[in-house]
Amino acid sequence: KASTWKSLIWSLECKVLITKEIQTVTLIPGDGIGPEISTAVMKIFEAAKAPIQWEERNVTAIKGPGGRWMIPPEAKESMNKNKIGLKGPLKTPIAAGHPSMNLLLRKTFDLYANVRPCVSIEGYKTPYTDVDLVTIRENTEGEYSGIEHLIVDGVVQSIKLITEEASRRIAEYAFEYARNNQRTSVTAVHKANIMRMSDGLFLRKCREVAENYKDVKFTEMYLDTVCLNMVQDPSHFDVLVMPNLYGDILSDLCAGLIGGLGVTPSGNIGANGVAIFESVHGTAPDIAGKDLANPTALLLSAVMMLRHMGLHGYAKKIETACFDTIRDEKVLTKDLGGNAKCSEFTADICRRVQDMD
Amino acid sequence: MKIFEAAKAPIQWEERNVTAIKGPGGRWMIPPEAKESMNKNKIGLKGPLKTPIAAGHPSMNLLLRKTFDLYANVRPCVSIEGYKTPYTDVDLVTIRENTEGEYSGIEHLIVDGVVQSIKLITEEASRRIAEYAFEYARNNQRTSVTAVHKANIMRMSDGLFLRKCREVAENYKDVKFTEMYLDTVCLNMVQDPSHFDVLVMPNLYGDILSDLCAGLIGGLGVTPSGNIGANGVAIFESVHGTAPDIAGKDLANPTALLLSAVMMLRHMGLHGYAKKIETACFDTIRDEKVLTKDLGGNAKCSEFTADICRRVQDMD
């Protein structure tokens, strides 16, 4: 009787564990090559038996009551419920009348931190082999306040806003990230020698937050010095935290160091535990639907997502399979220098993932 | 000066000191002798100045910029054979608007914890820098000028800058004009800098890009720089620091200042002498036998210099 009870309880525990483990993630395939690379990621996750189920949503802006543009309510509910999202590229509306979808997402979920880990990919040759850094960009204020005025004819001013709150929040995130990901140092990137008050405030908050993270080394560096040194020896850099514009520049510069937007993962951290991971390349309409796309950027963003969720084992498995496929150089999509289809590239990664079990 | 002498360049030097002094009225200024000399000669060559920490006076570079209205900072970046970097085919020029933009210095505390910094873009400064960029492209047989901006985000300010560039481009149909977002430039620059030619941009972007490009060719120790002012004034300078730790020990690398002097010769129309000296300098570096420490060798500054002098003389 005792052993029957034991095995019953044990099997119940297993069921509870298993049902608790599967997490639902909001999936926004996006436009152009978005759907096919999303499919690729889902296939790979399935091959890896990752405990993720996908809830697909569309984020094309709609006009709400009152005439304001907003994200469809189903998409918003899904994100707020699931907290975690994976997103493909969205097409930029030229004359659509509504604002950039990315901007709308950012405002809706207060996505205040843009995080891009840049790691050199063996097998995808660039002038650099040892890049391993993370750019953490404040994504709500700074130079992108959108506040501009015509002063007099021929004289325009653009206002850069730096607040204590946003600076503190991004600095907190950077140090937490460093700690949670076993990073050695956090470097605040700024131009406080020129912009004494604004960047000065940003820097001060970083210094204050650093006091609570003595286990992480804190340094400061001028933006121009970072760029000068970055292209000569990027191996010196670890976690970089900075205001909006500098982050815009540096995150793209660093993506370039490892091979471009086609292989760079990205994550956006919001308030209330929301986090949306996304590929930052375009929709590539010219190759959409032709099974030619490279899903690496979206896949690595999904790996970043797994790590964010604490699923490090699955993250490592999928990431390793992806890197192994690229290193092997046998099945590569065109942008990586090969001539394989997206589905073949995906299948190769799936195979490797399954072989690991 | 030794190298110029060996090249028999038709230049004589008038040495001046620019350590700031307090003028009547208590305002900091450049010594009158230095100012007179620059205004008379129009062309200047400048080494690194130490940054005053508690000297009470503003940065000397800033003072020079204001005094002579040095509105354009120009940096030609060319890969140097023999000085290895991850890139071999860099050949571009950054032209930075150096008077306004994000460096207006106008900042305010709005309420506790909220600060604003004002970026100013004017039609006049934008037009002037665009004009200089196209003139430069034409005079130096460059193929294209690319305006670097973020007008998608900063619609009014960068939008104004871009508009002036487009207007000026109309008068230079012999030069190709393109536009590119700053982040795209950075993304592409580190993957393939050979795509870039002349780049013109507002102040902050120029600050970043000019240093990024210097990094591509090996750093500030080998990068020339020129500042173009109103009234025909032009000051060429090395943009590295004063390196106090090796000062006076015959260890310094004169390449940056030499290449800035070469840039100066070209500005003055003395292309033959410019080519001669530049070639000698590049040959010495390519040969890799007599290199200063920062270039990977262990030669003295005087030895490096002597090698270039020898080559220059051999060319005659």
Side-chain angles (χ1 to χ4, degrees):
Chain A
K1 238 187 180 174
S3 63
T4 317
W5 270 115
K6 265 192 192 158
S7 56
L8 182 62
I9 289 166
W10 184 80
S11 70
L12 274 171
E13 279 177 341
C14 278
K15 283 208 176 80
V16 166
L17 252 144
I18 288 164
T19 47
K20 264 179 105 168
E21 253 188 43
I22 309 252
Q23 276 190 256
T24 310
V25 167
T26 304
L27 176 68
I28 301 163
D31 311 307
I33 57 172
E36 54 203 284
I37 56 177
S38 299
T39 303
V41 171
M42 289 194 281
K43 279 208 174 97
I44 294 167
F45 268 53
E46 197 184 334
K49 297 197 188 70
I52 302 287
Q53 74 184 7
W54 308 96
E55 197 169 272
E56 272 191 55
R57 289 291 180 266
N58 184 314
V59 295
T60 312
I62 61 169
K63 247 187 174 157
R68 219 164 176 200
W69 287 104
M70 56 184 230
I71 294 178
E74 312 82 48
K76 193 171 173 187
E77 272 165 40
S78 175
M79 263 314 305
N80 282 326
K81 169 171 63 78
N82 299 328
K83 298 295 182 192
I84 310 293
L86 183 68
K87 172 186 154 292
L90 297 176
K91 62 178 184 261
T92 323
I94 305 287
H98 63 72
S100 137
M101 284 314 306
N102 286 321
L103 184 59
L104 213 43
L105 278 165
R106 200 172 304 142
K107 298 263 180 202
T108 307
F109 300 107
D110 195 15
L111 302 175
Y112 67 92
N114 177 255
V115 186
R116 283 201 207 166
C118 291
V119 181
S120 287
I121 300 175
E122 227 188 300
Y124 189 40
K125 232 184 158 330
T126 73
Y128 305 93
T129 55
D130 50 6
V131 182
D132 184 3
L133 56 84
V134 186
T135 56
I136 296 183
R137 160 191 181 184
E138 201 295 319
N139 215 4
T140 66
E141 57 178 33
E143 301 80 350
Y144 294 176
S145 63
I147 307 169
E148 294 186 289
H149 308 111
L150 180 70
I151 306 296
V152 290
D153 224 10
V155 180
V156 172
Q157 82 175 10
S158 181
I159 295 184
K160 162 176 168 167
L161 277 178
I162 296 287
T163 66
E164 193 165 344
E165 188 49 37
S167 303
R168 188 201 53 76
R169 189 165 63 162
I170 195 72
E172 283 272 5
Y173 182 78
F175 278 96
E176 274 297 311
Y177 182 95
R179 196 179 259 172
N180 295 342
N181 291 275
Q182 292 81 48
R183 308 296 304 205
T184 320
S185 72
V186 170
T187 302
V189 182
H190 66 100
K191 288 289 294 179
N193 50 339
I194 309 282
M195 283 182 266
R196 296 165 191 268
M197 287 184 82
S198 48
D199 282 5
L201 173 56
F202 180 83
L203 207 51
R204 255 193 334 277
K205 299 319 284 179
C206 288
R207 288 171 182 160
E208 284 171 26
V209 171
E211 290 296 310
N212 300 330
Y213 291 85
K214 293 289 197 189
D215 49 319
V216 178
K217 183 176 166 199
F218 174 63
T219 56
E220 308 168 3
M221 200 182 274
Y222 294 136
L223 173 61
D224 42 347
T225 309
V226 170
C227 292
L228 178 74
N229 293 349
M230 183 72 79
V231 296
Q232 296 185 78
D233 190 359
S235 69
H236 285 154
F237 296 94
D238 195 344
V239 177
L240 302 160
V241 64
M242 63 223 105
N244 215 334
L245 174 71
Y246 311 160
D248 191 2
I249 300 163
L250 266 185
S251 61
D252 274 7
L253 200 170
C254 294
L257 300 179
I258 63 166
L261 302 185
V263 295
T264 305
S266 180
N268 297 290
I269 310 301
N272 302 320
V274 168
I276 302 180
F277 299 84
E278 61 172 354
S279 54
V280 286
H281 52 65
T283 54
D286 50 328
I287 59 166
K290 298 181 183 174
D291 197 16
L292 292 171
N294 174 5
T296 302
L298 189 63
L299 184 64
L300 292 180
S301 300
V303 163
M304 205 181 152
M305 178 190 84
L306 287 170
R307 289 200 166 105
H308 179 87
M309 296 163 80
L311 296 165
H312 297 278
Y314 293 100
K316 190 75 194 160
K317 190 159 71 172
I318 294 170
E319 186 187 57
T320 303
C322 178
F323 284 168
D324 285 350
T325 295
I326 297 177
R327 188 188 306 110
D328 218 21
E329 292 186 58
K330 292 206 181 70
V331 192
L332 296 177
T333 48
K334 186 155 177 257
D335 63 305
L336 292 175
N339 51 17
K341 295 203 182 84
C342 174
S343 49
E344 292 167 336
F345 181 76
T346 305
D348 197 73
I349 298 176
C350 288
R351 188 181 53 74
R352 292 178 190 272
V353 157
Q354 281 158 336
D355 284 350
M356 287 183 200
D357 288 329
Chain B
M1 290 194 281
K2 279 208 174 96
I3 295 167
F4 267 52
E5 198 184 333
K8 298 197 188 68
I11 302 288
Q12 73 184 6
W13 308 96
E14 199 169 271
E15 274 192 53
R16 289 291 181 269
N17 184 313
V18 294
T19 313
I21 61 167
K22 244 185 177 159
R27 222 174 174 187
W28 287 104
M29 56 186 230
I30 294 180
E33 312 82 50
K35 193 171 173 187
E36 272 164 41
S37 174
M38 263 316 303
N39 283 325
K40 170 170 61 81
N41 301 325
K42 298 296 181 189
I43 309 294
L45 182 68
K46 173 187 154 291
L49 297 176
K50 62 180 184 263
T51 323
I53 305 285
H57 63 73
S59 138
M60 283 315 306
N61 286 321
L62 185 58
L63 214 43
L64 277 166
R65 198 173 306 143
K66 297 263 180 202
T67 307
F68 300 107
D69 195 15
L70 302 175
Y71 67 92
N73 178 257
V74 186
R75 283 200 208 166
C77 291
V78 181
S79 286
I80 299 175
E81 227 187 301
Y83 190 40
K84 233 185 157 326
T85 72
Y87 306 93
T88 54
D89 51 5
V90 182
D91 185 2
L92 56 84
V93 185
T94 57
I95 296 182
R96 160 192 181 182
E97 201 294 318
N98 216 3
T99 66
E100 55 178 36
E102 301 81 350
Y103 294 178
S104 64
I106 307 168
E107 295 186 288
H108 310 110
L109 179 71
I110 305 297
V111 290
D112 225 10
V114 179
V115 172
Q116 83 176 10
S117 182
I118 294 183
K119 162 176 167 167
L120 277 178
I121 296 287
T122 66
E123 192 166 346
E124 188 49 37
S126 303
R127 188 201 53 76
R128 189 165 63 163
I129 195 72
E131 283 271 5
Y132 182 77
F134 279 95
E135 275 296 312
Y136 182 96
R138 197 178 258 173
N139 296 340
N140 291 275
Q141 291 81 46
R142 308 295 304 204
T143 321
S144 71
V145 170
T146 302
V148 182
H149 66 100
K150 287 290 292 179
N152 50 338
I153 309 281
M154 285 184 263
R155 297 164 191 269
M156 286 185 82
S157 47
D158 282 5
L160 173 57
F161 179 83
L162 207 52
R163 253 193 336 276
K164 300 318 285 179
C165 288
R166 287 172 183 161
E167 283 173 25
V168 171
E170 289 297 310
N171 300 330
Y172 291 84
K173 293 290 196 185
D174 48 321
V175 179
K176 184 177 166 200
F177 174 64
T178 56
E179 308 169 3
M180 201 181 274
Y181 294 135
L182 174 60
D183 43 347
T184 309
V185 170
C186 291
L187 178 74
N188 294 348
M189 183 73 79
V190 297
Q191 296 186 78
D192 190 359
S194 69
H195 285 154
F196 296 94
D197 195 344
V198 177
L199 303 160
V200 64
M201 64 224 105
N203 214 334
L204 174 72
Y205 310 160
D207 190 4
I208 300 164
L209 265 185
S210 60
D211 274 7
L212 200 171
C213 294
L216 300 179
I217 63 166
L220 302 185
V222 295
T223 304
S225 181
N227 297 290
I228 310 302
N231 303 318
V233 169
I235 302 180
F236 299 84
E237 60 171 354
S238 53
V239 286
H240 51 66
T242 54
D245 50 328
I246 61 167
K249 297 180 183 172
D250 197 15
L251 293 170
N253 174 5
T255 303
L257 190 62
L258 183 64
L259 292 180
S260 300
V262 163
M263 205 182 151
M264 178 190 83
L265 288 170
R266 289 202 166 103
H267 178 87
M268 298 164 80
L270 296 166
H271 297 277
Y273 293 99
K275 191 75 195 159
K276 191 159 68 170
I277 294 169
E278 185 187 58
T279 303
C281 178
F282 285 166
D283 284 350
T284 295
I285 296 176
R286 188 187 308 110
D287 219 22
E288 293 186 58
K289 292 207 180 69
V290 192
L291 295 178
T292 49
K293 186 153 175 257
D294 63 307
L295 291 175
N298 52 17
K300 294 202 182 85
C301 174
S302 49
E303 292 166 338
F304 180 76
T305 306
D307 197 74
I308 297 176
C309 289
R310 187 181 55 73
R311 291 177 191 273
V312 157
Q313 282 158 338
D314 285 351
M315 286 183 202
D316 288 328

